[in-house]
Amino acid sequence: MRFTLLKTDPQSNARRGRIETDHGTIETPIFMPVGTVGSVKGVYHRDLKSDIQAQIILGNTYHLYLRPGLDVLREAGGLHSFIGWDRPILTDSGGFQVFSLADSRKLTPEGCTFRSHIDGSAHSFTPENNVDTQRVIGADIIMALDECTPGDADRAYARKSLDLTKEWLKRGIARFDSTEPLYGYSQTFFPIIQGCVYPDMRAEAAEFVASFDREGYAIGGLSVGEPTEVMYEMIEVVHPILPKDRPRYLMGVGTPENLLEGIARGIDMFDCVMPTRNGRNGMLFTWEGRMNMRNRKWERDFSPIDPNGTSFVDTAYTKAYLRHLFIAGEMLAAQIASEHNLAFYLDVVSKARQHIEDGDFYQWKEAAVKKLQNRL
């Protein structure tokens, strides 16, 4: 993987860059649609490419390991071949999913044991077998196994958790560097910065991961219950420590305004389930603010869903029709809303790239964030 820093914003830490992988180029800043089990819920790959213009999607190691399983993925030739996607893929290590299974998992210095949410069967991830699993899945960018510390963890817990993540990282890097890709293209390994909401621990974690001189770095353990301003503070802590010539990935974040504020603080890559999850529940994001499509106010609004939108669904259907589909329980409602929201998120980062190139990102961002918070 190769990252080229093309331009920086004069009034913020926003960056315009380009990532080159064996499966294609990624223009940054970028938002990555989440395809947890090998599909972005309710959206055809055709539309992800042509209409939404997704340059990279995510898969999740925990879910793909359990189903369809490594034997199927290996026989298929990896996730790209299995799902028919020829652009880059990133896989999370599954650390967050294991964290969310607090009642059925156990952490040890060796790794973590957990029970499947599908059938209750027992499994374990170690830094080593997690790398092996992601080699079989075959993503272009794979993540280190870490513990995602709760946002409200006390200092003692955060200290213990960070020490565990650091030890796991050393072992994961050793395994990655001693093994080879399985399908004839290269893979990249990103360490993850933890440290909860404690600035000194975040700085320590950033310095630790930077010492390994990897091709990119992720910031994890944010947007997990801490106040938004604290999340921004943690990004600001690690920004000057991380190498400027490597991409920074903020995991699991967030709203459109979170994206813009993250970009202003030097973040290059984002992912979040929010555009599809909120879309399935009737919330649409637009440049004028958010719309709840179940509201009666849209019942006789025959204007396009979003006349300023970039997706074909924005002008093909009306607000009244989309509301009708939601009220009627039609699955098409979730598909339309998901496609709109994903296209909107990709439009947010596309416009951010353009304004960084134009040199007026900060002023544009300040005005955009105010509108994005409106409820229409």
Side-chain angles (χ1 to χ4, degrees), residues 67-130:
R67 188 169 53 193
L70 300 187
D71 289 344
V72 171
L73 289 168
R74 187 183 288 107
E75 188 175 341
L79 187 60
H80 288 88
S81 297
F82 184 59
I83 69 174
W85 177 259
D86 60 1
R87 294 182 182 181
I89 296 175
L90 181 150
T91 42
D92 184 5
S93 66
F96 179 80
Q97 284 65 39
V98 172
F99 152 75
S100 68
L101 296 169
D103 295 334
S104 60
R105 53 92 166 155
K106 181 180 179 181
L107 303 180
T108 69
E110 178 60 22
C112 55
T113 59
F114 57 93
R115 291 196 173 275
S116 165
H117 70 287
I118 300 169
D119 60 10
S121 56
H123 303 271
S124 67
F125 278 161
T126 67
E128 293 82 7
N129 72 22
N130 193 264

Side-chain angles (χ1 to χ4, degrees), residues 48-232:
L48 280 171
K49 290 181 177 181
S50 64
D51 196 35
I52 296 167
Q53 298 188 35
Q55 300 174 40
I56 176 174
I57 61 173
L58 264 70
N60 181 264
T61 297
Y62 166 84
H63 288 282
L64 292 166
Y65 161 80
L66 291 176
R67 188 169 53 193
L70 300 187
D71 289 344
V72 171
L73 289 168
R74 187 183 288 107
E75 188 175 341
L79 187 60
H80 288 88
S81 297
F82 184 59
I83 69 174
W85 177 259
D86 60 1
R87 294 182 182 181
I89 296 175
L90 181 150
T91 42
D92 184 5
S93 66
F96 179 80
Q97 284 65 39
V98 172
F99 152 75
S100 68
L101 296 169
D103 295 334
S104 60
R105 53 92 166 155
K106 181 180 179 181
L107 303 180
T108 69
E110 178 60 22
C112 55
T113 59
F114 57 93
R115 291 196 173 275
S116 165
H117 70 287
I118 300 169
D119 60 10
S121 56
H123 303 271
S124 67
F125 278 161
T126 67
E128 293 82 7
N129 72 22
N130 193 264
V131 167
D132 297 343
T133 296
Q134 292 187 77
R135 287 291 201 195
V136 173
I137 295 170
D140 301 87
I141 301 172
I142 74 176
M143 308 305 299
L145 181 67
D146 65 334
E147 183 191 1
C148 183
T149 316
D152 59 355
D154 62 30
R155 192 172 177 86
Y157 185 100
R159 176 74 264 167
K160 182 179 179 182
S161 176
L162 178 56
D163 289 344
L164 185 66
T165 289
K166 288 168 66 176
E167 288 303 310
W168 285 359
L169 176 60
K170 289 188 285 188
R171 290 164 51 194
I173 286 177
R175 184 60 153 232
F176 181 83
D177 288 348
S178 65
T179 56
E180 296 292 333
L182 302 178
Y183 307 116
Y185 55 85
S186 64
Q187 293 178 286
T188 295
F189 182 95
F190 279 20
I192 301 174
I193 298 165
Q194 290 289 346
C196 197
V197 297
Y198 303 102
D200 59 328
M201 291 190 203
R202 284 284 173 178
E204 174 191 332
E207 290 167 357
F208 183 75
V209 303
S211 71
F212 289 96
D213 192 29
R214 309 313 292 190
E215 293 167 293
Y217 302 93
I219 304 171
L222 294 175
S223 194
V224 288
E226 79 287 351
T228 301
E229 288 307 316
V230 173
M231 175 177 72
Y232 297 152

Side-chain angles (χ1 to χ4, degrees), residues 149 199 236 289 331:
T149 316
E236 291 166 2
M331 68 173 65

Side-chain angles (χ1 to χ4, degrees), residues 289-314:
R290 302 173 189 183
M291 298 190 296
N292 182 346
M293 299 314 300
R294 295 181 180 276
N295 285 351
R296 186 175 290 276
K297 68 182 293 183
W298 312 119
E299 184 177 20
R300 288 179 170 80
D301 188 331
F302 303 110
S303 63
I305 291 172
D306 184 2
N308 299 314
T310 60
S311 170
F312 80 89
V313 300
D314 293 332

